[in-house]
């Protein structure tokens, strides 16, 4: 499938968007992320992947060489990697998503709508967790210690949010977008933040410069929270050095000196509770607890010695490389009993190949809780009991039939899935 000529917008298209994905050591996760990005219901957009050798192999296996912009980068520094992506971005808007996340088909449509509001330079969306149902993050603000606070936000439409005094509206690193001219003028991300708090630092800088941030609740991504050098698949922490280092830099940069010691004490207490909670759950050994504590202290000491303010300088980017979405905009819903999975999956794969966006519902006659997963080649699969919970804060039992339950679940995702 070939890309359209550079800089050509479709009739009625929105602003051009450059999507930046940074990946390191997660080829399998990146492949799933890219599968979702190739099926977005938006135009025009380009995809930029900044990755290591494993990520480059995933791009090649997906048949995307030449259709997206690929930047090889082996260093473990997410801020520097994001800046390399910004340097390649030719869109009017630059959006970011993590390699262990998948965007809903209408993600860009809702995210970009936030820029229709006056004076908005940044937009953040909502993030669902591993089960594909519960929210991991919604609207939040952040203070000068780096702590996030929930913001009350009603409704689904994009809106500008006012954070409490001394705080800025927070965008999540796995679901955020910025006006390209503003982001480049500010130097992108501070590269001293090799991991953690880099986007939070940007949020505060934007706020201090007088730029407004909007939240677009319907702009959703699903975050798998994949393993990394800092955590295992079961979320057990394996390294706190980078957390300590980035926190120390952040506090030196943003927090008044009189409050820094208290903020560091709070960090130690928070991480110790986290470690021992995982130790009691059997996820960590006693010797690992000691190593993690030492690593946190070493990270704090290393961060104290770092100088902040390492911004990038951006020249003219390469030409915009529009990606032609593999989804046509047509949507199909398939549903059946769990024992019909094989037949329905085969039917779903055929529909995906024809360009449809497919939602597949597999229900069992049980109270099993629901889960949603995006699976290759591009199927949104929801599994659970006919009488089980999908939204976790609702009643554990729903006395409905198959058809009524199907209609309920379709309605729940309609605006995000373009049903």
């Amino acid at each position: 499938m070939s890309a359209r000529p550079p800089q050509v917008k479709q009739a009625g298209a929105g602003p051009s968007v450059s999507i930046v994905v940074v990946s390191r050591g997660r080829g399998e996760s990146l492949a799933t992320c890219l599968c979702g990005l190739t099926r977005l219901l938006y135009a025009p957009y380009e995809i930029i992947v900044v990755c290591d050798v494993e990520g480059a192999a995933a791009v090649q296996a997906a048949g995307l060489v030449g259709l997206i912009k690929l930047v090889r980068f082996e260093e473990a520094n997410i801020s520097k990697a994001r800046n390399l992506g910004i340097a390649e971005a030719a869109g009017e808007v630059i959006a970011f998503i993590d390699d262990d996340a998948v965007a809903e088909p209408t993600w860009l449509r809702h995210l970009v709508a936030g820029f229709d509001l006056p004076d908005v330079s940044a937009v953040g969306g909502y993030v669902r967790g591993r089960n594909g149902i519960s929210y991991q993050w919604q609207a939040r603000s952040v203070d000068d210690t780096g702590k996030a606070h929930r913001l009350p936000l009603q409704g689904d439409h994009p809106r500008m949010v006012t954070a409490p005094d001394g705080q800025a509206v927070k965008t999540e690193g796995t679901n955020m977008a910025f006006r390209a001219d503003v982001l480049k003028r500010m130097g992108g991300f501070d590269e001293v933040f090799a991991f953690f708090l880099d986007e939070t630092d940007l949020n505060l800088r934007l706020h201090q410069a007088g730029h407004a941030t909007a939240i677009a609740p319907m702009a959703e991504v699903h975050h798998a929270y994949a393993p990394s050098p800092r955590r295992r698949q079961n979320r057990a922490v394996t390294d706190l050095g980078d957390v300590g280092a980035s926190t120390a830099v952040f506090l030196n940069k943003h927090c008044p000196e009189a409050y820094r010691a208290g903020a560091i004490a709070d960090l130690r207490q928070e991480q110790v509770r986290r470690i021992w909670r995982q130790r009691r759950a059997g996820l960590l050994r006693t010797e690992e607890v000691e190593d993690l504590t030492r690593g946190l202290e070493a990270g704090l000491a290393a961060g104290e010695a770092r100088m902040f303010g390492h911004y990038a300088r951006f020249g003219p980017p390469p030409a915009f490389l529009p990606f032609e979405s593999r989804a046509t905009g047509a949507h199909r819903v398939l549903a059946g009993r769990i024992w019909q999975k094989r037949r329905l999956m085969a039917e779903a794969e055929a529909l995906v190949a024809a360009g449809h966006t497919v939602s597949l519902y597999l229900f069992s006659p049980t109270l099993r809780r629901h889960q949603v997963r995006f699976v290759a080649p591009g199927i949104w699969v929801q599994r659970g009991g006919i009488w089980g919970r999908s939204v976790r804060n609702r009643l554990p039992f729903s006395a409905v039939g198959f058809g009524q339950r199907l209609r309920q679940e379709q309605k729940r995702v309609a605006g995000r899935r373009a049903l």
Side-chain angles (χ1 to χ4, degrees), residues 233-260:
Q233 181 67 45
N234 62 5
R235 302 194 187 189
V237 62
T238 58
D239 187 347
L240 288 174
D242 286 330
V243 170
S246 287
T247 301
V249 172
F250 187 91
L251 293 174
N252 285 340
K253 186 173 184 178
H254 294 288
C255 184
E257 186 173 1
Y259 299 100
R260 290 177 197 163

Side-chain angles (χ1 to χ4, degrees), residues 9 40 59 78 112 136 147 164 174 240 257 286 343 372 399:
K9 286 189 179 183
L40 294 177
V59 170
I78 191 169
V112 168
Q136 187 176 73
K147 286 186 178 180
T174 191
L240 288 174
E257 186 173 1
T286 301
R343 175 181 64 80
V372 176

Side-chain angles (χ1 to χ4, degrees), residues 27 96 103 115 125 135 137 186 224 229 239-240 247 251 281 286 327 341 372 391-392 404:
F96 295 86
F115 292 104
Y135 284 113
W137 298 304
M186 294 186 67
D239 187 347
L240 288 174
T247 301
L251 293 174
T286 301
K341 175 184 175 181
V372 176
V391 179
R392 297 307 195 247
Q404 185 178 354

Side-chain angles (χ1 to χ4, degrees), residues 59-86:
V59 170
Q60 183 172 15
L64 294 174
V65 174
L67 301 180
I68 68 173
K69 295 177 179 178
L70 179 63
V71 182
R72 288 287 300 275
F73 183 66
E74 302 290 337
E75 188 179 338
N77 186 321
I78 191 169
S79 297
K80 189 178 291 187
R82 282 174 169 165
N83 283 346
L84 289 173
I86 295 170

